Amino acid sequence: TVRYLTASHNASPTVVFDRTYEQQDDEVINEMLISHPRRGMHLVFDGRLLHGAPAHHALRPLVTERKNDTEKHKVRVTFLVNIWLSGRPSGVKPLPPDI
């Protein structure tokens, strides 16, 4: 799940594809969901699906902003929850206590 804590007009959206990591690389991706950050929006999807927040500018909406608002809308703040019922992804380690 992803919960957007900010309304970021210039930040990367979350992209979810209808394909899992277990599928063959040559399988066609038929659908994808693009979720643009809006404060309070909550996105739930099967975590096995390919997903991410690519930084490519073509995925961002075209928004005309006032000059003073530009900087605060570049930051994307989200709260992510991952639940692994069996096993866990490789390379996952607890955060250091100083973070």
Side-chain angles (χ1 to χ4, degrees), residues 2-6 14 35 37-41 76-78:
V2 177
R3 175 75 159 191
Y4 297 100
L5 303 178
T6 56
T14 302
S35 175
R38 286 196 318 255
R39 184 186 343 227
M41 185 171 159
R76 171 190 154 129
V77 179
T78 59

Side-chain angles (χ1 to χ4, degrees), residues 2-16 32-43 52-54 56-63 73 75-78:
V2 177
R3 175 75 159 191
Y4 297 100
L5 303 178
T6 56
S8 305
H9 302 298
N10 286 325
S12 298
T14 302
V15 179
V16 183
M32 72 177 202
L33 173 121
I34 299 176
S35 175
H36 294 282
R38 286 196 318 255
R39 184 186 343 227
M41 185 171 159
H42 192 79
L43 174 65
H56 196 279
H57 68 279
L59 293 171
R60 298 179 188 154
L62 296 174
V63 176
H73 291 297
V75 178
R76 171 190 154 129
V77 179
T78 59

Side-chain angles (χ1 to χ4, degrees), residues 84 88-96 99:
W84 299 291
R88 68 176 189 187
S90 63
V92 174
K93 297 176 185 170
L95 288 174
I99 292 184

